[in-house]
Structures are given as structure tokens and as C-alpha cells.
Amino acid sequence: MAAVAGAFAEAVGRALMELSGHVVVENGGDVWLAGPSDRTIAVWSGDGPMAALGVRLPSSAMPCAVATSSATIGPSVSLGRARAATVIADGGALADAAASAVGNRVHDACDIEAGLESGSRIEGVRGVVIVIGEHLGAWGDIELRPVDPRVL
């Protein structure tokens, strides 16, 4: 069940590609993107210094999927304590399941490195971002950018 929202986002996105070359499908923290434009995805981690965090996705990386798991935001169950465990991956189901797996490993800031390492070992995962408290960790082929917190 940890991959359902991501799988649906990708399925809808691929169907919409028949109508348009610019597609962004968001499904409760699971996003699937395709198109010739660079995009910046906001990583919502609640209030605090990491609230205005974004991940830039170049058009050369698309199509791709982005999923976020959180122990503090939303109704989903997480066995960890990360405010945000975000995964960029080749597919929606993969991104969704990997974000849940990474988030489940992070209980405090000392777990960030292990969470990043676990995500890096999953074939098809391109990048991982973890926010817990006021701590941040990132791995992979990603570019972090500030985003306007008023749009979150």
C-alpha cells in the first residue's frame, strides 16, 4: 500500500502525455512530471527553517517521480520521525515506496546518514532529501533551492 498514490500519479500522468507534452500530476505528496521545462518541487516539512525548501528538476531528468513521506504532516503512518523524507525516482510507485522506507528509518538527526544510504542503494532512486527537526540531509543528482514560503 505504500506505493499506491505514486503508482496512480504516474498512471494518470502517462495517460495525459497523449494530450500534452507538459504534465504534472500531484496526488497527496506524490508527484509525476514530464515535459521540456525545468521544474522546482517544494518539499513541505511544516513550519521552521526548512519550510521553504525546493528541489530543482531539470527537463533532462524527466519523466520522473517525486514522493514525500512524513511522520508529522498528513494522515499517513510513518514508523520514523522525519518531517519529510523525499525521494526522486524513475517511477511513481518506486518513489512512493522508497520515501516510506527511508522515512521509517529516520528517528532523529543521527539517522539522516543511514536514511540517505538506504535510499541510495535502491535501484532507480535518483535522489533523497531528509528533514528532521532543524536538520537536513541530501543525496543524489539533485539541486536544492529556496522557494517562496507563501506558496506552500
Side-chain angles (χ1 to χ4, degrees), residues 10-11 16 21 23 36 53 60 70 79 81 90 103-104 119-120 125 130 142 146-147:
E10 181 175 354
L16 289 173
V23 178
L53 178 66
S60 60
S70 177
L79 303 178
R81 297 188 60 207
D90 294 340
N104 286 343
S120 74
V125 169
I130 297 171
I142 58 172
V147 294

mmCIF file of all heavy atoms in Angstrom, residues 10-11 16 21 23 36 53 60 70 79 81 90 103-104 119-120 125 130 142 146-147:
data_model
loop_
_atom_site.group_PDB
_atom_site.id
_atom_site.type_symbol
_atom_site.label_atom_id
_atom_site.label_comp_id
_atom_site.label_asym_id
_atom_site.label_seq_id
_atom_site.Cartn_x
_atom_site.Cartn_y
_atom_site.Cartn_z
ATOM 1 N N GLU A 10 1.604 8.342 -11.514
ATOM 2 C CA GLU A 10 2.294 8.012 -12.758
ATOM 3 C C GLU A 10 1.325 7.529 -13.835
ATOM 4 O O GLU A 10 1.442 7.928 -15.006
ATOM 5 C CB GLU A 10 3.370 6.959 -12.525
ATOM 6 C CG GLU A 10 4.112 6.619 -13.800
ATOM 7 C CD GLU A 10 5.267 5.670 -13.611
ATOM 8 O OE1 GLU A 10 5.616 5.323 -12.470
ATOM 9 O OE2 GLU A 10 5.857 5.281 -14.641
ATOM 10 N N ALA A 11 0.385 6.692 -13.476
ATOM 11 C CA ALA A 11 -0.568 6.176 -14.463
ATOM 12 C C ALA A 11 -1.377 7.312 -15.090
ATOM 13 O O ALA A 11 -1.545 7.363 -16.318
ATOM 14 C CB ALA A 11 -1.501 5.144 -13.813
ATOM 15 N N LEU A 16 -2.093 11.287 -19.589
ATOM 16 C CA LEU A 16 -2.206 12.687 -20.002
ATOM 17 C C LEU A 16 -1.146 13.089 -21.020
ATOM 18 O O LEU A 16 -1.346 14.036 -21.789
ATOM 19 C CB LEU A 16 -2.127 13.610 -18.782
ATOM 20 C CG LEU A 16 -3.337 13.578 -17.857
ATOM 21 C CD1 LEU A 16 -3.071 14.395 -16.596
ATOM 22 C CD2 LEU A 16 -4.579 14.084 -18.586
ATOM 23 N N GLY A 21 2.496 17.507 -23.854
ATOM 24 C CA GLY A 21 3.878 17.187 -23.507
ATOM 25 C C GLY A 21 4.299 17.765 -22.175
ATOM 26 O O GLY A 21 5.384 17.472 -21.676
ATOM 27 N N VAL A 23 3.243 17.739 -18.379
ATOM 28 C CA VAL A 23 2.361 17.068 -17.434
ATOM 29 C C VAL A 23 2.952 17.137 -16.029
ATOM 30 O O VAL A 23 4.126 16.812 -15.814
ATOM 31 C CB VAL A 23 2.141 15.585 -17.814
ATOM 32 C CG1 VAL A 23 1.269 14.884 -16.791
ATOM 33 C CG2 VAL A 23 1.546 15.471 -19.205
ATOM 34 N N PRO A 36 9.283 19.449 -21.320
ATOM 35 C CA PRO A 36 10.536 20.079 -21.727
ATOM 36 C C PRO A 36 10.987 21.242 -20.842
ATOM 37 O O PRO A 36 11.977 21.896 -21.159
ATOM 38 C CB PRO A 36 10.215 20.563 -23.145
ATOM 39 C CG PRO A 36 8.754 20.882 -23.097
ATOM 40 C CD PRO A 36 8.166 19.848 -22.169
ATOM 41 N N LEU A 53 11.950 24.977 1.275
ATOM 42 C CA LEU A 53 12.934 24.162 0.578
ATOM 43 C C LEU A 53 12.336 23.610 -0.714
ATOM 44 O O LEU A 53 11.211 23.129 -0.723
ATOM 45 C CB LEU A 53 13.358 22.999 1.488
ATOM 46 C CG LEU A 53 14.343 21.994 0.936
ATOM 47 C CD1 LEU A 53 15.695 22.641 0.707
ATOM 48 C CD2 LEU A 53 14.473 20.828 1.903
ATOM 49 N N SER A 60 15.892 17.509 -18.466
ATOM 50 C CA SER A 60 16.621 16.308 -18.880
ATOM 51 C C SER A 60 16.389 15.131 -17.941
ATOM 52 O O SER A 60 16.652 13.990 -18.301
ATOM 53 C CB SER A 60 18.120 16.603 -18.972
ATOM 54 O OG SER A 60 18.614 17.012 -17.710
ATOM 55 N N SER A 70 6.001 11.629 5.552
ATOM 56 C CA SER A 70 6.188 12.452 6.743
ATOM 57 C C SER A 70 5.552 11.792 7.962
ATOM 58 O O SER A 70 4.463 11.239 7.873
ATOM 59 C CB SER A 70 5.556 13.832 6.539
ATOM 60 O OG SER A 70 5.671 14.605 7.719
ATOM 61 N N LEU A 79 6.766 4.988 10.526
ATOM 62 C CA LEU A 79 7.396 4.395 11.704
ATOM 63 C C LEU A 79 8.590 5.207 12.178
ATOM 64 O O LEU A 79 9.179 4.889 13.202
ATOM 65 C CB LEU A 79 7.828 2.956 11.386
ATOM 66 C CG LEU A 79 6.699 2.041 10.912
ATOM 67 C CD1 LEU A 79 7.241 0.665 10.575
ATOM 68 C CD2 LEU A 79 5.580 1.967 11.931
ATOM 69 N N ARG A 81 10.397 9.459 12.394
ATOM 70 C CA ARG A 81 10.015 10.761 12.935
ATOM 71 C C ARG A 81 10.403 11.911 12.016
ATOM 72 O O ARG A 81 10.388 13.066 12.428
ATOM 73 C CB ARG A 81 10.646 10.938 14.313
ATOM 74 C CG ARG A 81 10.109 9.880 15.292
ATOM 75 C CD ARG A 81 10.531 10.102 16.705
ATOM 76 N NE ARG A 81 10.056 11.397 17.151
ATOM 77 C CZ ARG A 81 10.659 12.098 18.101
ATOM 78 N NH1 ARG A 81 11.721 11.643 18.697
ATOM 79 N NH2 ARG A 81 10.196 13.274 18.463
ATOM 80 N N ASP A 90 12.754 7.022 -10.779
ATOM 81 C CA ASP A 90 12.324 6.770 -12.155
ATOM 82 C C ASP A 90 10.815 6.619 -12.270
ATOM 83 O O ASP A 90 10.235 7.012 -13.271
ATOM 84 C CB ASP A 90 12.987 5.508 -12.702
ATOM 85 C CG ASP A 90 14.489 5.648 -12.853
ATOM 86 O OD1 ASP A 90 14.997 6.793 -12.916
ATOM 87 O OD2 ASP A 90 15.160 4.605 -12.909
ATOM 88 N N GLY A 103 11.790 7.159 5.240
ATOM 89 C CA GLY A 103 11.189 7.846 6.383
ATOM 90 C C GLY A 103 11.066 6.959 7.611
ATOM 91 O O GLY A 103 11.248 7.425 8.742
ATOM 92 N N ASN A 104 10.791 5.686 7.408
ATOM 93 C CA ASN A 104 10.673 4.757 8.532
ATOM 94 C C ASN A 104 11.990 4.576 9.282
ATOM 95 O O ASN A 104 11.991 4.227 10.461
ATOM 96 C CB ASN A 104 10.194 3.387 8.042
ATOM 97 C CG ASN A 104 8.735 3.377 7.669
ATOM 98 O OD1 ASN A 104 7.975 4.269 8.049
ATOM 99 N ND2 ASN A 104 8.331 2.388 6.905
ATOM 100 N N GLY A 119 18.403 4.839 0.914
ATOM 101 C CA GLY A 119 17.785 5.281 -0.332
ATOM 102 C C GLY A 119 18.720 5.149 -1.520
ATOM 103 O O GLY A 119 18.295 4.796 -2.615
ATOM 104 N N SER A 120 19.993 5.422 -1.295
ATOM 105 C CA SER A 120 20.977 5.365 -2.390
ATOM 106 C C SER A 120 21.179 3.956 -2.927
ATOM 107 O O SER A 120 21.626 3.777 -4.056
ATOM 108 C CB SER A 120 22.316 5.941 -1.934
ATOM 109 O OG SER A 120 22.983 5.045 -1.060
ATOM 110 N N VAL A 125 16.361 4.952 -7.761
ATOM 111 C CA VAL A 125 16.274 6.163 -6.944
ATOM 112 C C VAL A 125 17.388 7.103 -7.381
ATOM 113 O O VAL A 125 18.546 6.727 -7.438
ATOM 114 C CB VAL A 125 16.375 5.845 -5.434
ATOM 115 C CG1 VAL A 125 16.553 7.119 -4.615
ATOM 116 C CG2 VAL A 125 15.128 5.102 -4.981
ATOM 117 N N ILE A 130 16.110 14.476 3.304
ATOM 118 C CA ILE A 130 15.522 14.170 4.613
ATOM 119 C C ILE A 130 15.550 15.425 5.466
ATOM 120 O O ILE A 130 16.586 16.087 5.578
ATOM 121 C CB ILE A 130 16.302 13.042 5.320
ATOM 122 C CG1 ILE A 130 16.223 11.746 4.513
ATOM 123 C CG2 ILE A 130 15.769 12.839 6.743
ATOM 124 C CD1 ILE A 130 17.137 10.648 5.025
ATOM 125 N N ILE A 142 20.549 15.930 -7.355
ATOM 126 C CA ILE A 142 19.505 16.907 -7.082
ATOM 127 C C ILE A 142 20.135 18.262 -6.782
ATOM 128 O O ILE A 142 21.294 18.357 -6.402
ATOM 129 C CB ILE A 142 18.602 16.490 -5.905
ATOM 130 C CG1 ILE A 142 19.445 16.282 -4.649
ATOM 131 C CG2 ILE A 142 17.795 15.260 -6.221
ATOM 132 C CD1 ILE A 142 18.628 16.050 -3.415
ATOM 133 N N PRO A 146 15.855 27.496 -2.629
ATOM 134 C CA PRO A 146 14.820 28.097 -1.786
ATOM 135 C C PRO A 146 13.542 28.309 -2.599
ATOM 136 O O PRO A 146 13.598 28.494 -3.819
ATOM 137 C CB PRO A 146 15.428 29.455 -1.372
ATOM 138 C CG PRO A 146 16.411 29.770 -2.455
ATOM 139 C CD PRO A 146 16.913 28.443 -2.976
ATOM 140 N N VAL A 147 12.406 28.203 -1.941
ATOM 141 C CA VAL A 147 11.132 28.516 -2.577
ATOM 142 C C VAL A 147 10.410 29.533 -1.708
ATOM 143 O O VAL A 147 10.683 29.659 -0.515
ATOM 144 C CB VAL A 147 10.241 27.263 -2.795
ATOM 145 C CG1 VAL A 147 10.864 26.321 -3.792
ATOM 146 C CG2 VAL A 147 9.950 26.562 -1.499
#
